[in-house]
């Protein structure tokens, strides 16, 4: 790639090959994992509206990788509605994941609650349920009521994720009353259509 960089750098100085050479140079920096050098080149190519079909996704991927989420969002208006929704989803995932890691590092239950409240729309749509399940696990020691609410919300909004539901029920067993747990299990068995899943439910001992 170093030899290619020299060639593309030379070609980029000629107006007739400037844009194509800059794109080649950008791809070299991407392959060499040098985003700081690739980003300004991509931005200049997009400003010149060069090969947007390829340069825009490349720029968005780099910006998300570099955690420059706001800047990535500023380019979403330039892509199709279908692609925009896909990228919005990717950005939300990365942002929420980063926020969750920060909340965990803080070792503070309030930070986890703030994270859960701020991203409640994700929970409502069963988006990234494993992160919220982990948040509930971390909260279950010192804030059982809030943890139980997260678990129960996940049960409500994620009807088809049997593995997750099973883990949630085992977690709930340790923090809710026996009567409530029996009711939860009864409802789960009634709603289950898969015989193997029903058998796993009956293995949960209260």
């Amino acid at each position: 790639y170093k030899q290619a960089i020299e060639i593309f750098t030379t070609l980029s100085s000629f107006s007739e090959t400037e844009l194509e050479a800059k794109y080649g140079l950008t791809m070299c920096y991407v392959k060499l994992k040098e985003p700081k050098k690739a980003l300004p080149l991509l931005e200049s190519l997009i400003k010149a509206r060069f090969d947007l079909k390829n340069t825009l996704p490349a720029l968005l991927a780099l910006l998300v990788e570099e955690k420059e989420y706001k800047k990535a969002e500023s380019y979403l208006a330039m892509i199709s509605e279908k692609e925009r929704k896909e990228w919005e989803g990717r950005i939300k995932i990365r942002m929420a994941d980063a926020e969750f890691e920060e909340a965990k590092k803080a070792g503070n239950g309030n930070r986890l609650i703030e994270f859960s409240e701020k991203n409640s729309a994700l929970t409502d749509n069963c988006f990234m349920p494993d992160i919220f399940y982990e948040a509930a696990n971390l909260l279950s020691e010192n804030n059982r009521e809030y943890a139980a609410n997260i678990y129960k919300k996940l049960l409500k909004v994620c009807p088809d994720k049997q593995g997750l539901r099973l883990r949630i029920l085992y977690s709930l067993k340790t923090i809710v009353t026996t009567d409530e747990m029996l009711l939860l299990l009864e409802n789960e068995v009634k709603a289950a259509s898969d015989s193997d899943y029903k058998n796993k439910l009956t293995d949960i001992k209260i």
Side-chain angles (χ1 to χ4, degrees), residues 120-130 132 154 157-161 164:
S120 61
L122 298 180
T123 329
D124 292 340
N125 293 289
C126 192
F127 204 64
M128 302 176 70
D130 289 327
F132 293 98
L154 288 171
V157 300
C158 302
D160 302 320
K161 295 186 178 294
L164 172 68

Side-chain angles (χ1 to χ4, degrees), residues 42 49-50 64 70 92 127 136 152 158 163-164 174 183 201:
L42 275 171
R49 305 195 72 79
F50 175 79
V64 170
K70 294 299 179 183
K92 281 181 181 177
F127 204 64
K152 285 184 263 188
C158 302
L164 172 68
T174 65
L183 182 60
L201 291 172

